[in-house]
Amino acid sequence: MNAPETQLAAAALAPPAFARSIHLLYVPTLNCNLGCSYCYLGRQTSEADLRADGARAVATLRHALAALEEARVLAFNVSLHGGEVTTLPPAVLDELFILIRQHYLRHFDALTALGHRKSAPHIKTNLYKFAPLYELFDKHKVSISASIDLPLALHARYRLTRKGEPWLARTHDNLRLLARYPHAKKISATLSAEHLQDIPALIDDIWYIHRELGVDMNQLNLMFAFPSALNQEKMGGAVLTPCTPAQQLALYDALHAAFVGSELEEGLRRHWFDEFTPSYCTNAVNCGEKFYLLQGDGNVYSCVRGQGIPEFHYGNVFADPVDDILRTGARKIAEMHQRHGFDAGCRSCGHLPLCNTGCPVVKHQNASARSYTCELQRAIYRERPQSFPESPPDEVAAYARDYARRIHPALAVAETPPTHTAPLFALPPELDEEKNTLRALIAADPLLQALYRDDAFVLEVGDELVPLASQLLKQRADWYTLAEADRLVVHVRRELFDANCSEPLRNTLYLQMLRDTPVVYGDERRTKQEHLFTWQLHTPCLEPSARLGDGWLMADLAGLVALHRRLYRRGVRNNLLFTTGYLRDYHYQKQKANAFYHIQAVNLPFQNFEFFYLNREQ
């Protein structure tokens, strides 16, 4: 057994259990040997320090995989991307391939359980250096995604070397070599309006590559260029024009006319437009929860589209904990969707559950709330109704509410209908007058309205935002499960601290933690939940809400909840209630002043959150 095989065998020992899995793109260098006219990376590809990148490429990936494993995060797909990865020395590529194979073998069982059959590295390459690296790729069974221009003649115009030289002849030779390559391979092509000026030539070249050069063009992925500030800064007037929706549809129709009924029909229906279906990151609810790009310098971005854009920078694996990077990713992607709003057409679209409004990076580049391939996606979905069924209006409305709750929480809170439609407590007959019901009492008292409002507290549980309602008024209870590492942040409307308080500096966020272990309290001898602790934080100590923006304050509660972990019992619900110090005082004043209110609000009326706690010490 040679040294690499020994390393691979050793790597398969003692894999840990994982709490979540992610897709990881690794960009060991941003350097590229080409200067494509539509490249959204701008000057980054020509300003990279290739020598420094080569020196740290393997160490960075090894460090990142170890940090992910320690955080119980499994990278289920580690793909090499660029820049152009093949500009690195062959010895560095060899080490990267070995490291990725080690990772897949070490976590073979966990990957298989998730449905992933990964064993070989994957690389995105422009094929410029494919021939000299062929044996190295073959040795590691590297799967290849080769990017080209269609029609091929546009290589000579838009896909030049850094020195401005065409290399179309080499492209033909390398495609012939790729056809003989015995491992997984596919072709990808990015299309601008200029590429679609001669669609018949594009179709002819698909047939040429398939029949004459021998590459199976069923394995083709088509993508569309989009506006890029970085590309505009570099290329100026030479930047290519994004396709219009009409041009995208014209291509789609032309390809169907040309290939339906042929040996390439399977590819047309299954792979060519795969990027615009729910299987891709572009259609995720929040791609920041699962898709990440790691650079050789340790910086983490959203993806290749977001590289170099501050709004899509999540942190650095050498400086930031993995959990912080993952949380930042989910938060920044949600914020980008929020920045551009929830398009009215998307809210009522029967395909919203499939599309989820599209790629946030392209939304940023286009300053648009809707997917840049919306019309194309609709055509794909209509053509394949069993794979992509259109949801009925009632299901779309329910999905839109849930989507808004996750991605547009401020909007969701503002639009949440009242959860109480009738009194939840039956009063004795002599007290049963409409004016004395709890609902009527609340409606007649502005301070009770503030105390009971269901849009005042929003709890951030992991990546989910949960609007809180009074435990007396809501008609259903949701129970959550928390662990020590989970994010738990409460967001409170600023104006709530003005209620019943002329000097908000004196007011407090007031929390009470109860446990569902019955105890008997007081002269009433009523059986109630057991009180665990009470906690107050004065208003000036709260932070501005980073997620909900102006008008909200926030407090991180994860440490507070974890501090009392010994009080939580396995299988027993805990009940965390929220109010302000002055509204709590008003509740008890109202009980003293109004018997009808006292009877109906004898239990704590505050907004609440119920959860079980996973305690490693139990």
Side-chain angles (χ1 to χ4, degrees):
M1 184 179 291
N2 60 34
E5 290 173 337
T6 303
Q7 293 174 344
L8 292 171
L13 302 176
F18 294 98
R20 63 186 293 186
S21 59
I22 66 167
H23 188 293
L24 184 66
L25 286 174
Y26 182 46
V27 177
T29 181
L30 280 163
N31 181 68
C32 188
N33 40 27
L34 302 185
C36 302
S37 301
Y38 44 78
C39 181
Y40 40 72
L41 294 177
R43 301 183 189 279
Q44 297 178 91
T45 59
S46 57
E47 295 177 349
D49 185 342
L50 185 59
R51 179 171 299 189
D53 290 343
R56 67 192 175 192
V58 177
T60 297
L61 181 58
R62 181 178 288 113
H63 172 87
L65 292 175
L68 288 168
E69 183 174 307
E70 185 177 355
R72 299 175 60 222
V73 177
L74 172 63
F76 67 82
N77 191 331
V78 181
S79 298
L80 296 176
H81 212 287
E84 173 55 39
V85 186
T86 61
T87 60
L88 291 170
V92 174
L93 292 174
D94 187 46
E95 286 191 75
L96 285 173
F97 295 153
I98 291 173
L99 181 58
I100 293 170
R101 291 175 64 199
Q102 286 176 341
H103 173 75
Y104 287 150
L105 286 179
R106 174 172 170 76
H107 304 301
F108 179 86
D109 189 47
L111 290 166
T112 302
L114 291 171
H116 303 296
R117 298 184 177 182
K118 304 295 294 186
S119 60
H122 176 79
I123 190 170
K124 182 69 174 282
T125 176
N126 57 31
L127 286 183
Y128 189 83
K129 296 184 67 176
F130 180 55
L133 293 171
Y134 183 96
E135 292 185 2
L136 179 62
F137 289 164
D138 184 26
K139 169 186 172 183
H140 292 287
K141 301 179 181 179
V142 176
S143 70
I144 295 173
S145 175
S147 59
I148 64 172
D149 274 73
L150 289 172
L152 283 171
L154 295 187
H155 258 67
R157 190 180 308 170
Y158 303 133
R159 188 172 281 251
L160 306 176
T161 67
R162 288 258 295 274
K163 295 180 180 180
E165 299 168 345
W167 57 288
L168 183 57
R170 182 187 287 194
T171 299
H172 285 251
D173 292 341
N174 283 339
L175 286 173
R176 290 189 183 93
L177 186 59
L178 183 67
R180 300 197 299 271
Y181 185 69
H183 309 296
K185 53 187 179 279
K186 66 178 180 179
I187 299 292
S188 65
T190 299
L191 306 174
S192 66
E194 287 80 358
H195 291 87
L196 300 189
Q197 288 176 356
D198 190 351
I199 292 179
L202 186 152
I203 292 171
D204 287 345
D205 276 347
I206 291 176
W207 280 124
Y208 170 73
I209 296 170
H210 182 71
R211 290 174 172 169
E212 302 297 326
L213 301 185
V215 179
D216 182 4
M217 289 299 277
N218 278 297
Q219 305 299 322
L220 168 66
N221 283 122
L222 296 175
M223 299 163 286
F224 291 101
F226 52 85
S228 165
L230 296 176
N231 181 230
Q232 180 69 49
E233 179 185 345
K234 176 183 178 182
M235 301 300 298
V239 68
L240 299 186
T241 310
C243 300
T244 65
Q247 290 171 323
Q248 294 172 6
L249 287 173
L251 173 68
Y252 186 72
D253 292 340
L255 293 179
H256 273 72
F259 294 103
V260 168
S262 74
E263 67 262 37
L264 292 182
E265 180 176 357
E266 179 185 355
L268 168 68
R269 296 187 183 277
R270 189 181 300 277
H271 299 298
W272 291 7
F273 292 92
D274 208 25
E275 181 167 334
F276 314 106
T277 67
S279 63
Y280 248 69
C281 59
T282 49
N283 296 68
V285 174
N286 185 325
C287 59
E289 295 175 345
K290 182 162 285 190
F291 299 91
Y292 305 89
L293 179 143
L294 169 69
Q295 292 186 167
D297 59 4
N299 282 310
V300 179
Y301 287 89
S302 58
C303 57
V304 292
R305 295 176 172 185
Q307 282 175 278
I309 303 176
E311 289 86 348
F312 298 96
H313 179 247
Y314 297 166
N316 187 291
V317 292
F318 294 113
D320 304 304
V322 166
D323 288 340
D324 288 353
I325 292 172
L326 303 187
R327 281 194 293 267
T328 298
R331 175 178 59 80
K332 284 200 168 187
I333 292 301
E335 287 174 351
M336 189 54 62
H337 285 295
Q338 292 160 22
R339 179 179 300 181
H340 299 289
F342 193 177
D343 183 85
C346 294
R347 293 194 200 199
S348 58
C349 177
H351 295 122
L352 174 64
L354 303 174
C355 168
N356 293 301
T357 76
C359 172
V361 180
V362 183
K363 283 185 178 183
H364 172 72
Q365 302 283 17
N366 281 337
S368 171
R370 186 180 293 196
S371 171
Y372 75 120
T373 55
C374 175
E375 298 304 321
L376 173 64
Q377 289 171 256
R378 288 173 181 263
I380 294 170
Y381 301 153
R382 284 194 300 267
E383 194 230 340
R384 298 166 60 185
Q386 291 184 323
S387 297
F388 308 118
E390 186 170 6
S391 299
D394 57 336
E395 292 183 12
V396 173
Y399 187 88
R401 287 193 297 270
D402 182 66
Y403 175 82
R405 179 178 173 180
R406 288 191 60 185
I407 303 299
H408 299 274
L411 178 62
V413 170
E415 296 181 351
T416 299
T419 57
H420 53 282
T421 58
L424 301 184
F425 290 88
L427 298 176
E430 65 268 26
L431 301 176
D432 192 12
E433 297 181 19
E434 177 61 27
K435 67 177 183 178
N436 294 325
T437 63
L438 183 58
R439 183 174 60 178
L441 293 171
I442 294 171
D445 188 331
L447 289 178
L448 287 185
Q449 292 172 28
L451 189 149
Y452 282 91
R453 62 188 292 181
D454 54 14
D455 64 349
F457 292 91
V458 175
L459 198 62
E460 190 174 353
V461 186
D463 296 322
E464 182 180 2
L465 286 163
V466 182
L468 301 181
S470 164
Q471 66 172 355
L472 298 188
L473 295 182
K474 59 186 176 184
Q475 297 180 340
R476 53 171 275 178
D478 294 316
W479 300 344
Y480 289 74
T481 299
L482 298 183
E484 185 174 344
D486 287 341
R487 181 172 176 80
L488 191 69
V489 176
V490 64
H491 303 263
V492 192
R493 289 192 183 272
R494 289 178 184 268
E495 64 196 59
L496 200 68
F497 294 98
D498 296 326
N500 195 42
C501 181
S502 60
E503 193 174 359
L505 290 176
R506 293 180 178 273
N507 211 343
T508 61
L509 171 65
Y510 194 102
L511 307 183
Q512 292 176 263
M513 181 73 81
L514 282 60
R515 186 177 64 197
D516 199 22
T517 46
V519 293
V520 177
Y521 282 109
D523 290 342
E524 299 165 326
R525 309 305 295 163
R526 285 193 303 123
T527 300
K528 300 191 291 184
Q529 290 184 330
E530 186 173 11
H531 286 248
L532 299 185
F533 64 83
T534 297
W535 184 79
Q536 295 185 72
L537 184 67
H538 279 79
T539 309
C541 299
L542 296 167
E543 301 177 52
S545 173
R547 189 158 181 184
L548 298 189
D550 293 342
W552 293 80
L553 297 170
M554 60 177 272
D556 192 332
L557 305 180
L560 174 70
V561 172
L563 179 65
H564 297 86
R565 57 186 174 273
R566 66 178 184 82
L567 301 178
Y568 314 131
R569 298 181 181 177
R570 184 182 297 273
V572 176
R573 273 181 296 131
N574 305 287
N575 189 4
L576 182 57
L577 295 110
F578 299 79
T579 189
T580 70
Y582 277 75
L583 281 177
R584 176 183 179 275
D585 291 344
Y586 186 76
H587 162 69
Y588 289 110
Q589 294 168 13
K590 190 72 173 182
Q591 280 191 331
K592 293 178 181 178
N594 191 310
F596 304 126
Y597 177 77
H598 196 159
I599 291 171
Q600 297 171 87
V602 66
N603 290 321
L604 293 176
F606 310 125
Q607 294 85 339
N608 77 317
F609 173 76
E610 295 181 88
F611 65 95
F612 298 95
Y613 195 84
L614 296 178
N615 196 336
R616 291 180 298 180
E617 299 175 0
Q618 295 177 344

